């Protein structure tokens, strides 16, 4: 996990509320990613960003928003439009040097909607 | 969309035995990666094999890749209790994205 911080570890939300999940990295990696994991399932890509002030939708972007104002930070907002937000959210980073395809993951945030 | 299929979905073996997990995919790849996830934690990268490679080793891990069959396997030799985790294959899609399989839950019994 080292070098990537996700907070909080556990988050509870009432229906209709927006919440923001934090992801901070000190690895100086260019690319950052947000994934969603449901119980017993693999990871699905929500959004990713290769450079500051630029990001692209992944496979399941509806109901989510992101920003990339700083290289170190890539917060994810889960909006009230996301119909089933209860899940485990993972942030990852990757350097963009040629040949570096490995992603590095944070410890995750578990979001529960009450 | 997830385009990796892993099997078995769950595997339970005795400590000291070898564990083999398989991954199939549908489209061409640049590389295929294997990750481990302990319960409730983030993923840890284990090994990457490129499309022009057939086999790769790292400690007790051995990964094979058969691009003609669009499949890969991960072998863990001499398993230990600490190997208990979920294992995911991930296909490198283009230059930026990974597509993950659903994972194999491995349990090592003492």
């Amino acid at each position: 996990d080292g070098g990537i911080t996700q907070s909080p570890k556990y988050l509870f939300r009432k229906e209709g509320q927006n919440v923001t999940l934090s992801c901070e990295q000190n690895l100086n990696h260019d690319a950052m990613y947000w994934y969603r994991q449901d119980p017993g399932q693999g990871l699905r890509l929500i959004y990713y960003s290769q450079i500051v002030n630029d990001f692209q939708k992944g496979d399941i972007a509806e109901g989510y928003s992101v920003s990339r104002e700083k290289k170190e930070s890539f917060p994810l907002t889960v909006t009230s439009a996301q119909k089933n937000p209860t899940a485990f959210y993972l942030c990852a980073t990757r350097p963009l040097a040629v040949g570096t395809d490995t992603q590095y993951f944070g410890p995750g945030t578990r979001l529960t909607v009450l | 969309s997830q385009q990796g299929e892993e099997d078995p979905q769950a595997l339970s073996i005795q400590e000291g035995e070898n564990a083999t997990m398989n991954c199939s995919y549908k489209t061409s790849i640049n590389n295929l990666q294997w990750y481990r996830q302990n319960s409730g934690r983030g993923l840890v990268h284990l090994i990457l094999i490129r499309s022009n490679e057939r086999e790769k080793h790292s400690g007790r891990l051995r990964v094979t890749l058969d691009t003609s069959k669009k499949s890969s396997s991960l072998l863990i030799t001499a398993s230990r209790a600490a190997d208990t985790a979920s294992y995911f294959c991930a296909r490198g899609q283009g230059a930026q994205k990974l597509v993950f399989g659903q994972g194999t839950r491995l349990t090592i019994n003492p």
Side-chain angles (χ1 to χ4, degrees), chain A residues 1 33 37 41-43 45 48 50 59 88 94 99 101-103 105-106, chain B residues 1-2 31 33 35 37 40-43 45 50 88 95-98 101-102:
Chain A
D1 298 348
Y33 303 80
Q37 186 179 30
Q41 301 295 313
L43 279 64
L45 181 64
Y48 65 104
Q50 300 176 53
D59 299 317
F88 189 50
R94 187 175 79 95
D101 297 318
T102 300
Q103 291 188 14
F105 284 82
Chain B
S1 62
Q2 291 181 319
N31 62 74
Q33 304 180 37
Y35 289 79
Q37 184 182 35
R41 306 291 297 274
L43 276 69
H45 180 259
R50 301 200 180 277
F88 295 90
Q96 297 298 328
K97 298 194 292 183
L98 291 177
Q102 292 190 328

PDB file of all heavy atoms in Angstrom, chain A residues 1 33 37 41-43 45 48 50 59 88 94 99 101-103 105-106, chain B residues 1-2 31 33 35 37 40-43 45 50 88 95-98 101-102:
ATOM      1  N   ASP A   1       0.829  -1.213   0.000  1.00  0.00           N
ATOM      2  CA  ASP A   1       0.000   0.000   0.000  1.00  0.00           C
ATOM      3  C   ASP A   1       0.863   1.262   0.000  1.00  0.00           C
ATOM      4  O   ASP A   1       0.424   2.312  -0.399  1.00  0.00           O
ATOM      5  CB  ASP A   1      -0.890   0.035   1.232  1.00  0.00           C
ATOM      6  CG  ASP A   1      -1.857  -1.141   1.257  1.00  0.00           C
ATOM      7  OD1 ASP A   1      -1.985  -1.814   0.237  1.00  0.00           O
ATOM      8  OD2 ASP A   1      -2.471  -1.360   2.306  1.00  0.00           O
ATOM      9  N   TYR A  33      -6.098   6.092 -10.866  1.00  0.00           N
ATOM     10  CA  TYR A  33      -7.287   5.331 -11.256  1.00  0.00           C
ATOM     11  C   TYR A  33      -8.202   5.148 -10.059  1.00  0.00           C
ATOM     12  O   TYR A  33      -7.735   5.043  -8.927  1.00  0.00           O
ATOM     13  CB  TYR A  33      -6.890   3.932 -11.747  1.00  0.00           C
ATOM     14  CG  TYR A  33      -5.912   3.905 -12.890  1.00  0.00           C
ATOM     15  CD1 TYR A  33      -4.544   4.079 -12.657  1.00  0.00           C
ATOM     16  CD2 TYR A  33      -6.336   3.688 -14.195  1.00  0.00           C
ATOM     17  CE1 TYR A  33      -3.634   4.049 -13.716  1.00  0.00           C
ATOM     18  CE2 TYR A  33      -5.432   3.649 -15.244  1.00  0.00           C
ATOM     19  CZ  TYR A  33      -4.089   3.840 -14.998  1.00  0.00           C
ATOM     20  OH  TYR A  33      -3.195   3.809 -16.038  1.00  0.00           O
ATOM     21  N   GLN A  37     -15.146  -2.323  -6.375  1.00  0.00           N
ATOM     22  CA  GLN A  37     -15.177  -3.774  -6.205  1.00  0.00           C
ATOM     23  C   GLN A  37     -16.395  -4.152  -5.390  1.00  0.00           C
ATOM     24  O   GLN A  37     -16.576  -3.683  -4.268  1.00  0.00           O
ATOM     25  CB  GLN A  37     -13.898  -4.275  -5.522  1.00  0.00           C
ATOM     26  CG  GLN A  37     -13.820  -5.783  -5.449  1.00  0.00           C
ATOM     27  CD  GLN A  37     -12.545  -6.269  -4.796  1.00  0.00           C
ATOM     28  OE1 GLN A  37     -11.975  -5.607  -3.942  1.00  0.00           O
ATOM     29  NE2 GLN A  37     -12.057  -7.435  -5.222  1.00  0.00           N
ATOM     30  N   GLN A  41     -16.276 -10.082  -6.370  1.00  0.00           N
ATOM     31  CA  GLN A  41     -16.100  -9.711  -7.775  1.00  0.00           C
ATOM     32  C   GLN A  41     -14.727  -9.106  -8.023  1.00  0.00           C
ATOM     33  O   GLN A  41     -13.988  -8.779  -7.096  1.00  0.00           O
ATOM     34  CB  GLN A  41     -17.176  -8.697  -8.175  1.00  0.00           C
ATOM     35  CG  GLN A  41     -18.585  -9.195  -8.003  1.00  0.00           C
ATOM     36  CD  GLN A  41     -18.888 -10.351  -8.925  1.00  0.00           C
ATOM     37  OE1 GLN A  41     -18.593 -10.319 -10.110  1.00  0.00           O
ATOM     38  NE2 GLN A  41     -19.476 -11.410  -8.368  1.00  0.00           N
ATOM     39  N   GLY A  42     -14.428  -8.930  -9.290  1.00  0.00           N
ATOM     40  CA  GLY A  42     -13.197  -8.238  -9.664  1.00  0.00           C
ATOM     41  C   GLY A  42     -13.387  -6.740  -9.607  1.00  0.00           C
ATOM     42  O   GLY A  42     -14.375  -6.225  -9.083  1.00  0.00           O
ATOM     43  N   LEU A  43     -12.427  -6.018 -10.155  1.00  0.00           N
ATOM     44  CA  LEU A  43     -12.442  -4.555 -10.124  1.00  0.00           C
ATOM     45  C   LEU A  43     -13.023  -4.006 -11.426  1.00  0.00           C
ATOM     46  O   LEU A  43     -12.730  -4.524 -12.505  1.00  0.00           O
ATOM     47  CB  LEU A  43     -11.012  -4.020  -9.954  1.00  0.00           C
ATOM     48  CG  LEU A  43     -10.440  -3.996  -8.543  1.00  0.00           C
ATOM     49  CD1 LEU A  43     -10.299  -5.385  -7.963  1.00  0.00           C
ATOM     50  CD2 LEU A  43      -9.096  -3.281  -8.560  1.00  0.00           C
ATOM     51  N   LEU A  45     -13.424  -0.308 -13.565  1.00  0.00           N
ATOM     52  CA  LEU A  45     -12.820   1.017 -13.653  1.00  0.00           C
ATOM     53  C   LEU A  45     -13.893   2.096 -13.701  1.00  0.00           C
ATOM     54  O   LEU A  45     -14.791   2.059 -14.544  1.00  0.00           O
ATOM     55  CB  LEU A  45     -11.939   1.091 -14.904  1.00  0.00           C
ATOM     56  CG  LEU A  45     -11.199   2.397 -15.138  1.00  0.00           C
ATOM     57  CD1 LEU A  45     -10.188   2.656 -14.028  1.00  0.00           C
ATOM     58  CD2 LEU A  45     -10.504   2.350 -16.496  1.00  0.00           C
ATOM     59  N   TYR A  48     -10.164   7.463 -14.739  1.00  0.00           N
ATOM     60  CA  TYR A  48      -8.726   7.513 -14.644  1.00  0.00           C
ATOM     61  C   TYR A  48      -8.207   8.842 -15.193  1.00  0.00           C
ATOM     62  O   TYR A  48      -8.887   9.517 -15.970  1.00  0.00           O
ATOM     63  CB  TYR A  48      -8.069   6.318 -15.349  1.00  0.00           C
ATOM     64  CG  TYR A  48      -8.244   6.246 -16.836  1.00  0.00           C
ATOM     65  CD1 TYR A  48      -7.216   6.580 -17.703  1.00  0.00           C
ATOM     66  CD2 TYR A  48      -9.438   5.783 -17.385  1.00  0.00           C
ATOM     67  CE1 TYR A  48      -7.366   6.478 -19.078  1.00  0.00           C
ATOM     68  CE2 TYR A  48      -9.602   5.679 -18.758  1.00  0.00           C
ATOM     69  CZ  TYR A  48      -8.566   6.020 -19.600  1.00  0.00           C
ATOM     70  OH  TYR A  48      -8.727   5.925 -20.958  1.00  0.00           O
ATOM     71  N   GLN A  50      -4.454  10.741 -16.535  1.00  0.00           N
ATOM     72  CA  GLN A  50      -3.046  10.586 -16.896  1.00  0.00           C
ATOM     73  C   GLN A  50      -2.223  11.802 -16.523  1.00  0.00           C
ATOM     74  O   GLN A  50      -1.010  11.700 -16.288  1.00  0.00           O
ATOM     75  CB  GLN A  50      -2.925  10.329 -18.395  1.00  0.00           C
ATOM     76  CG  GLN A  50      -3.644   9.073 -18.849  1.00  0.00           C
ATOM     77  CD  GLN A  50      -3.580   8.920 -20.358  1.00  0.00           C
ATOM     78  OE1 GLN A  50      -2.513   8.958 -20.943  1.00  0.00           O
ATOM     79  NE2 GLN A  50      -4.735   8.738 -20.987  1.00  0.00           N
ATOM     80  N   ASP A  59     -15.440   2.303 -17.265  1.00  0.00           N
ATOM     81  CA  ASP A  59     -16.586   1.492 -17.681  1.00  0.00           C
ATOM     82  C   ASP A  59     -17.874   1.801 -16.921  1.00  0.00           C
ATOM     83  O   ASP A  59     -18.964   1.515 -17.400  1.00  0.00           O
ATOM     84  CB  ASP A  59     -16.254   0.012 -17.517  1.00  0.00           C
ATOM     85  CG  ASP A  59     -15.063  -0.398 -18.370  1.00  0.00           C
ATOM     86  OD1 ASP A  59     -15.004   0.030 -19.545  1.00  0.00           O
ATOM     87  OD2 ASP A  59     -14.197  -1.126 -17.871  1.00  0.00           O
ATOM     88  N   PHE A  88     -16.581  -1.484  -2.212  1.00  0.00           N
ATOM     89  CA  PHE A  88     -15.209  -1.217  -1.796  1.00  0.00           C
ATOM     90  C   PHE A  88     -14.546  -0.444  -2.933  1.00  0.00           C
ATOM     91  O   PHE A  88     -14.595  -0.886  -4.084  1.00  0.00           O
ATOM     92  CB  PHE A  88     -14.511  -2.559  -1.542  1.00  0.00           C
ATOM     93  CG  PHE A  88     -13.162  -2.465  -0.905  1.00  0.00           C
ATOM     94  CD1 PHE A  88     -12.963  -1.698   0.224  1.00  0.00           C
ATOM     95  CD2 PHE A  88     -12.101  -3.173  -1.429  1.00  0.00           C
ATOM     96  CE1 PHE A  88     -11.721  -1.632   0.842  1.00  0.00           C
ATOM     97  CE2 PHE A  88     -10.847  -3.125  -0.826  1.00  0.00           C
ATOM     98  CZ  PHE A  88     -10.655  -2.354   0.312  1.00  0.00           C
ATOM     99  N   ARG A  94       0.050   4.775 -11.419  1.00  0.00           N
ATOM    100  CA  ARG A  94       0.982   4.143 -12.348  1.00  0.00           C
ATOM    101  C   ARG A  94       1.902   5.207 -12.925  1.00  0.00           C
ATOM    102  O   ARG A  94       1.421   6.259 -13.351  1.00  0.00           O
ATOM    103  CB  ARG A  94       0.226   3.463 -13.478  1.00  0.00           C
ATOM    104  CG  ARG A  94       1.077   2.634 -14.407  1.00  0.00           C
ATOM    105  CD  ARG A  94       0.202   1.914 -15.425  1.00  0.00           C
ATOM    106  NE  ARG A  94      -0.212   2.783 -16.507  1.00  0.00           N
ATOM    107  CZ  ARG A  94       0.417   2.888 -17.670  1.00  0.00           C
ATOM    108  NH1 ARG A  94       1.501   2.190 -17.889  1.00  0.00           N
ATOM    109  NH2 ARG A  94      -0.033   3.691 -18.616  1.00  0.00           N
ATOM    110  N   GLY A  99       7.096   1.000 -20.659  1.00  0.00           N
ATOM    111  CA  GLY A  99       7.370  -0.310 -20.086  1.00  0.00           C
ATOM    112  C   GLY A  99       6.904  -0.480 -18.658  1.00  0.00           C
ATOM    113  O   GLY A  99       7.071  -1.553 -18.083  1.00  0.00           O
ATOM    114  N   ASP A 101       3.879  -0.938 -16.772  1.00  0.00           N
ATOM    115  CA  ASP A 101       2.447  -1.190 -16.872  1.00  0.00           C
ATOM    116  C   ASP A 101       1.812  -1.583 -15.548  1.00  0.00           C
ATOM    117  O   ASP A 101       0.608  -1.756 -15.471  1.00  0.00           O
ATOM    118  CB  ASP A 101       2.205  -2.296 -17.891  1.00  0.00           C
ATOM    119  CG  ASP A 101       2.664  -1.881 -19.281  1.00  0.00           C
ATOM    120  OD1 ASP A 101       2.408  -0.726 -19.660  1.00  0.00           O
ATOM    121  OD2 ASP A 101       3.274  -2.703 -19.978  1.00  0.00           O
ATOM    122  N   THR A 102       2.619  -1.747 -14.513  1.00  0.00           N
ATOM    123  CA  THR A 102       2.100  -2.160 -13.214  1.00  0.00           C
ATOM    124  C   THR A 102       1.351  -1.025 -12.550  1.00  0.00           C
ATOM    125  O   THR A 102       1.774   0.137 -12.609  1.00  0.00           O
ATOM    126  CB  THR A 102       3.264  -2.583 -12.308  1.00  0.00           C
ATOM    127  OG1 THR A 102       3.951  -3.671 -12.915  1.00  0.00           O
ATOM    128  CG2 THR A 102       2.772  -2.989 -10.930  1.00  0.00           C
ATOM    129  N   GLN A 103       0.230  -1.371 -11.906  1.00  0.00           N
ATOM    130  CA  GLN A 103      -0.498  -0.407 -11.103  1.00  0.00           C
ATOM    131  C   GLN A 103      -0.260  -0.699  -9.619  1.00  0.00           C
ATOM    132  O   GLN A 103      -0.119  -1.851  -9.216  1.00  0.00           O
ATOM    133  CB  GLN A 103      -1.988  -0.438 -11.438  1.00  0.00           C
ATOM    134  CG  GLN A 103      -2.274   0.092 -12.834  1.00  0.00           C
ATOM    135  CD  GLN A 103      -3.749   0.267 -13.129  1.00  0.00           C
ATOM    136  OE1 GLN A 103      -4.596   0.240 -12.232  1.00  0.00           O
ATOM    137  NE2 GLN A 103      -4.074   0.459 -14.397  1.00  0.00           N
ATOM    138  N   PHE A 105      -1.710  -0.056  -5.734  1.00  0.00           N
ATOM    139  CA  PHE A 105      -3.019   0.175  -5.137  1.00  0.00           C
ATOM    140  C   PHE A 105      -2.936   0.712  -3.715  1.00  0.00           C
ATOM    141  O   PHE A 105      -2.039   0.349  -2.940  1.00  0.00           O
ATOM    142  CB  PHE A 105      -3.824  -1.129  -5.124  1.00  0.00           C
ATOM    143  CG  PHE A 105      -4.377  -1.485  -6.469  1.00  0.00           C
ATOM    144  CD1 PHE A 105      -3.597  -2.114  -7.415  1.00  0.00           C
ATOM    145  CD2 PHE A 105      -5.691  -1.165  -6.790  1.00  0.00           C
ATOM    146  CE1 PHE A 105      -4.107  -2.432  -8.673  1.00  0.00           C
ATOM    147  CE2 PHE A 105      -6.209  -1.468  -8.036  1.00  0.00           C
ATOM    148  CZ  PHE A 105      -5.420  -2.098  -8.978  1.00  0.00           C
ATOM    149  N   GLY A 106      -3.901   1.562  -3.383  1.00  0.00           N
ATOM    150  CA  GLY A 106      -4.093   1.994  -2.014  1.00  0.00           C
ATOM    151  C   GLY A 106      -4.846   0.947  -1.224  1.00  0.00           C
ATOM    152  O   GLY A 106      -5.254  -0.079  -1.764  1.00  0.00           O
TER     153      GLY A 106
ATOM    154  N   SER B   1     -16.209  -3.206 -18.926  1.00  0.00           N
ATOM    155  CA  SER B   1     -16.706  -4.573 -18.875  1.00  0.00           C
ATOM    156  C   SER B   1     -15.547  -5.493 -18.540  1.00  0.00           C
ATOM    157  O   SER B   1     -14.396  -5.230 -18.897  1.00  0.00           O
ATOM    158  CB  SER B   1     -17.329  -4.976 -20.189  1.00  0.00           C
ATOM    159  OG  SER B   1     -16.363  -4.935 -21.227  1.00  0.00           O
ATOM    160  N   GLN B   2     -15.823  -6.564 -17.830  1.00  0.00           N
ATOM    161  CA  GLN B   2     -14.769  -7.486 -17.461  1.00  0.00           C
ATOM    162  C   GLN B   2     -14.621  -8.523 -18.564  1.00  0.00           C
ATOM    163  O   GLN B   2     -15.588  -9.169 -18.948  1.00  0.00           O
ATOM    164  CB  GLN B   2     -15.113  -8.147 -16.130  1.00  0.00           C
ATOM    165  CG  GLN B   2     -15.048  -7.170 -14.972  1.00  0.00           C
ATOM    166  CD  GLN B   2     -15.352  -7.828 -13.656  1.00  0.00           C
ATOM    167  OE1 GLN B   2     -16.247  -8.639 -13.574  1.00  0.00           O
ATOM    168  NE2 GLN B   2     -14.615  -7.493 -12.632  1.00  0.00           N
ATOM    169  N   ASN B  31       0.000  -7.215 -22.407  1.00  0.00           N
ATOM    170  CA  ASN B  31       0.585  -7.960 -21.306  1.00  0.00           C
ATOM    171  C   ASN B  31      -0.537  -8.509 -20.444  1.00  0.00           C
ATOM    172  O   ASN B  31      -1.703  -8.101 -20.570  1.00  0.00           O
ATOM    173  CB  ASN B  31       1.507  -7.066 -20.468  1.00  0.00           C
ATOM    174  CG  ASN B  31       0.772  -5.914 -19.825  1.00  0.00           C
ATOM    175  OD1 ASN B  31       0.020  -6.092 -18.864  1.00  0.00           O
ATOM    176  ND2 ASN B  31       0.963  -4.715 -20.362  1.00  0.00           N
ATOM    177  N   GLN B  33      -1.211  -9.455 -16.278  1.00  0.00           N
ATOM    178  CA  GLN B  33      -0.652  -9.287 -14.939  1.00  0.00           C
ATOM    179  C   GLN B  33      -1.452 -10.100 -13.931  1.00  0.00           C
ATOM    180  O   GLN B  33      -2.640 -10.337 -14.117  1.00  0.00           O
ATOM    181  CB  GLN B  33      -0.679  -7.803 -14.555  1.00  0.00           C
ATOM    182  CG  GLN B  33       0.048  -6.903 -15.544  1.00  0.00           C
ATOM    183  CD  GLN B  33       0.017  -5.455 -15.151  1.00  0.00           C
ATOM    184  OE1 GLN B  33       0.099  -5.117 -13.971  1.00  0.00           O
ATOM    185  NE2 GLN B  33      -0.091  -4.565 -16.144  1.00  0.00           N
ATOM    186  N   TYR B  35      -2.359 -10.208  -9.741  1.00  0.00           N
ATOM    187  CA  TYR B  35      -2.362  -9.456  -8.496  1.00  0.00           C
ATOM    188  C   TYR B  35      -2.932 -10.332  -7.388  1.00  0.00           C
ATOM    189  O   TYR B  35      -3.754 -11.222  -7.630  1.00  0.00           O
ATOM    190  CB  TYR B  35      -3.238  -8.191  -8.610  1.00  0.00           C
ATOM    191  CG  TYR B  35      -2.664  -7.103  -9.486  1.00  0.00           C
ATOM    192  CD1 TYR B  35      -2.756  -7.182 -10.867  1.00  0.00           C
ATOM    193  CD2 TYR B  35      -2.051  -5.993  -8.922  1.00  0.00           C
ATOM    194  CE1 TYR B  35      -2.238  -6.174 -11.675  1.00  0.00           C
ATOM    195  CE2 TYR B  35      -1.530  -4.975  -9.718  1.00  0.00           C
ATOM    196  CZ  TYR B  35      -1.629  -5.072 -11.094  1.00  0.00           C
ATOM    197  OH  TYR B  35      -1.114  -4.077 -11.883  1.00  0.00           O
ATOM    198  N   GLN B  37      -4.886 -10.122  -3.505  1.00  0.00           N
ATOM    199  CA  GLN B  37      -5.635  -9.277  -2.586  1.00  0.00           C
ATOM    200  C   GLN B  37      -5.947 -10.057  -1.323  1.00  0.00           C
ATOM    201  O   GLN B  37      -6.673 -11.056  -1.366  1.00  0.00           O
ATOM    202  CB  GLN B  37      -6.935  -8.772  -3.219  1.00  0.00           C
ATOM    203  CG  GLN B  37      -7.708  -7.806  -2.318  1.00  0.00           C
ATOM    204  CD  GLN B  37      -9.013  -7.338  -2.927  1.00  0.00           C
ATOM    205  OE1 GLN B  37      -9.689  -8.095  -3.626  1.00  0.00           O
ATOM    206  NE2 GLN B  37      -9.381  -6.086  -2.677  1.00  0.00           N
ATOM    207  N   GLY B  40     -10.157  -7.575   2.386  1.00  0.00           N
ATOM    208  CA  GLY B  40     -10.388  -6.204   2.812  1.00  0.00           C
ATOM    209  C   GLY B  40      -9.241  -5.249   2.564  1.00  0.00           C
ATOM    210  O   GLY B  40      -9.235  -4.141   3.102  1.00  0.00           O
ATOM    211  N   ARG B  41      -8.283  -5.658   1.745  1.00  0.00           N
ATOM    212  CA  ARG B  41      -7.112  -4.826   1.492  1.00  0.00           C
ATOM    213  C   ARG B  41      -7.014  -4.453   0.022  1.00  0.00           C
ATOM    214  O   ARG B  41      -7.794  -4.887  -0.819  1.00  0.00           O
ATOM    215  CB  ARG B  41      -5.844  -5.589   1.905  1.00  0.00           C
ATOM    216  CG  ARG B  41      -5.835  -6.108   3.331  1.00  0.00           C
ATOM    217  CD  ARG B  41      -5.738  -4.998   4.335  1.00  0.00           C
ATOM    218  NE  ARG B  41      -4.493  -4.265   4.218  1.00  0.00           N
ATOM    219  CZ  ARG B  41      -3.353  -4.624   4.829  1.00  0.00           C
ATOM    220  NH1 ARG B  41      -3.313  -5.703   5.571  1.00  0.00           N
ATOM    221  NH2 ARG B  41      -2.261  -3.899   4.673  1.00  0.00           N
ATOM    222  N   GLY B  42      -6.003  -3.619  -0.277  1.00  0.00           N
ATOM    223  CA  GLY B  42      -5.737  -3.294  -1.666  1.00  0.00           C
ATOM    224  C   GLY B  42      -5.037  -4.441  -2.382  1.00  0.00           C
ATOM    225  O   GLY B  42      -4.690  -5.454  -1.780  1.00  0.00           O
ATOM    226  N   LEU B  43      -4.854  -4.273  -3.696  1.00  0.00           N
ATOM    227  CA  LEU B  43      -4.198  -5.307  -4.488  1.00  0.00           C
ATOM    228  C   LEU B  43      -2.692  -5.094  -4.508  1.00  0.00           C
ATOM    229  O   LEU B  43      -2.211  -3.964  -4.470  1.00  0.00           O
ATOM    230  CB  LEU B  43      -4.727  -5.277  -5.925  1.00  0.00           C
ATOM    231  CG  LEU B  43      -6.023  -6.028  -6.196  1.00  0.00           C
ATOM    232  CD1 LEU B  43      -7.206  -5.363  -5.527  1.00  0.00           C
ATOM    233  CD2 LEU B  43      -6.249  -6.168  -7.694  1.00  0.00           C
ATOM    234  N   HIS B  45       0.714  -6.193  -6.734  1.00  0.00           N
ATOM    235  CA  HIS B  45       1.178  -6.750  -7.996  1.00  0.00           C
ATOM    236  C   HIS B  45       2.126  -7.920  -7.733  1.00  0.00           C
ATOM    237  O   HIS B  45       3.035  -7.830  -6.895  1.00  0.00           O
ATOM    238  CB  HIS B  45       1.898  -5.673  -8.800  1.00  0.00           C
ATOM    239  CG  HIS B  45       2.405  -6.157 -10.116  1.00  0.00           C
ATOM    240  ND1 HIS B  45       3.724  -6.495 -10.322  1.00  0.00           N
ATOM    241  CD2 HIS B  45       1.766  -6.384 -11.282  1.00  0.00           C
ATOM    242  CE1 HIS B  45       3.878  -6.890 -11.561  1.00  0.00           C
ATOM    243  NE2 HIS B  45       2.706  -6.829 -12.176  1.00  0.00           N
ATOM    244  N   ARG B  50       4.581 -10.406 -20.709  1.00  0.00           N
ATOM    245  CA  ARG B  50       4.277  -9.690 -21.940  1.00  0.00           C
ATOM    246  C   ARG B  50       3.809 -10.663 -23.017  1.00  0.00           C
ATOM    247  O   ARG B  50       4.071 -11.871 -22.944  1.00  0.00           O
ATOM    248  CB  ARG B  50       5.486  -8.884 -22.409  1.00  0.00           C
ATOM    249  CG  ARG B  50       5.927  -7.879 -21.366  1.00  0.00           C
ATOM    250  CD  ARG B  50       6.776  -6.762 -21.910  1.00  0.00           C
ATOM    251  NE  ARG B  50       7.137  -5.849 -20.832  1.00  0.00           N
ATOM    252  CZ  ARG B  50       6.357  -4.862 -20.388  1.00  0.00           C
ATOM    253  NH1 ARG B  50       5.153  -4.675 -20.936  1.00  0.00           N
ATOM    254  NH2 ARG B  50       6.754  -4.072 -19.426  1.00  0.00           N
ATOM    255  N   PHE B  88      -6.081 -12.250  -8.836  1.00  0.00           N
ATOM    256  CA  PHE B  88      -6.742 -11.688 -10.002  1.00  0.00           C
ATOM    257  C   PHE B  88      -5.769 -11.604 -11.166  1.00  0.00           C
ATOM    258  O   PHE B  88      -4.610 -11.201 -10.998  1.00  0.00           O
ATOM    259  CB  PHE B  88      -7.246 -10.271  -9.710  1.00  0.00           C
ATOM    260  CG  PHE B  88      -8.321 -10.198  -8.681  1.00  0.00           C
ATOM    261  CD1 PHE B  88      -8.004 -10.050  -7.336  1.00  0.00           C
ATOM    262  CD2 PHE B  88      -9.659 -10.278  -9.036  1.00  0.00           C
ATOM    263  CE1 PHE B  88      -8.989  -9.987  -6.362  1.00  0.00           C
ATOM    264  CE2 PHE B  88     -10.659 -10.216  -8.076  1.00  0.00           C
ATOM    265  CZ  PHE B  88     -10.321 -10.071  -6.740  1.00  0.00           C
ATOM    266  N   ALA B  95      -2.769   1.411 -23.698  1.00  0.00           N
ATOM    267  CA  ALA B  95      -1.606   1.893 -22.971  1.00  0.00           C
ATOM    268  C   ALA B  95      -1.915   2.255 -21.527  1.00  0.00           C
ATOM    269  O   ALA B  95      -1.007   2.494 -20.742  1.00  0.00           O
ATOM    270  CB  ALA B  95      -1.035   3.115 -23.681  1.00  0.00           C
ATOM    271  N   GLN B  96      -3.174   2.275 -21.176  1.00  0.00           N
ATOM    272  CA  GLN B  96      -3.499   2.870 -19.892  1.00  0.00           C
ATOM    273  C   GLN B  96      -4.308   2.006 -18.944  1.00  0.00           C
ATOM    274  O   GLN B  96      -4.225   2.194 -17.748  1.00  0.00           O
ATOM    275  CB  GLN B  96      -4.279   4.175 -20.127  1.00  0.00           C
ATOM    276  CG  GLN B  96      -3.499   5.232 -20.868  1.00  0.00           C
ATOM    277  CD  GLN B  96      -2.279   5.656 -20.113  1.00  0.00           C
ATOM    278  OE1 GLN B  96      -2.254   5.654 -18.894  1.00  0.00           O
ATOM    279  NE2 GLN B  96      -1.226   5.985 -20.840  1.00  0.00           N
ATOM    280  N   LYS B  97      -5.120   1.136 -19.470  1.00  0.00           N
ATOM    281  CA  LYS B  97      -6.108   0.505 -18.608  1.00  0.00           C
ATOM    282  C   LYS B  97      -5.836  -0.981 -18.403  1.00  0.00           C
ATOM    283  O   LYS B  97      -5.217  -1.648 -19.215  1.00  0.00           O
ATOM    284  CB  LYS B  97      -7.516   0.676 -19.216  1.00  0.00           C
ATOM    285  CG  LYS B  97      -7.950   2.122 -19.340  1.00  0.00           C
ATOM    286  CD  LYS B  97      -9.430   2.258 -19.613  1.00  0.00           C
ATOM    287  CE  LYS B  97      -9.813   1.749 -20.970  1.00  0.00           C
ATOM    288  NZ  LYS B  97     -11.259   1.965 -21.233  1.00  0.00           N
ATOM    289  N   LEU B  98      -6.323  -1.460 -17.258  1.00  0.00           N
ATOM    290  CA  LEU B  98      -6.316  -2.882 -16.972  1.00  0.00           C
ATOM    291  C   LEU B  98      -7.752  -3.371 -16.866  1.00  0.00           C
ATOM    292  O   LEU B  98      -8.602  -2.683 -16.310  1.00  0.00           O
ATOM    293  CB  LEU B  98      -5.605  -3.176 -15.655  1.00  0.00           C
ATOM    294  CG  LEU B  98      -4.095  -2.954 -15.610  1.00  0.00           C
ATOM    295  CD1 LEU B  98      -3.576  -3.227 -14.207  1.00  0.00           C
ATOM    296  CD2 LEU B  98      -3.400  -3.841 -16.628  1.00  0.00           C
ATOM    297  N   GLY B 101     -10.177  -9.846 -14.095  1.00  0.00           N
ATOM    298  CA  GLY B 101     -11.080 -10.971 -13.979  1.00  0.00           C
ATOM    299  C   GLY B 101     -11.772 -10.947 -12.626  1.00  0.00           C
ATOM    300  O   GLY B 101     -11.537 -10.054 -11.802  1.00  0.00           O
ATOM    301  N   GLN B 102     -12.608 -11.931 -12.387  1.00  0.00           N
ATOM    302  CA  GLN B 102     -13.382 -11.980 -11.142  1.00  0.00           C
ATOM    303  C   GLN B 102     -12.600 -12.580  -9.992  1.00  0.00           C
ATOM    304  O   GLN B 102     -13.048 -12.524  -8.850  1.00  0.00           O
ATOM    305  CB  GLN B 102     -14.687 -12.749 -11.369  1.00  0.00           C
ATOM    306  CG  GLN B 102     -15.633 -12.004 -12.290  1.00  0.00           C
ATOM    307  CD  GLN B 102     -17.008 -12.640 -12.332  1.00  0.00           C
ATOM    308  OE1 GLN B 102     -17.127 -13.854 -12.195  1.00  0.00           O
ATOM    309  NE2 GLN B 102     -18.028 -11.830 -12.511  1.00  0.00           N
TER     310      GLN B 102
END
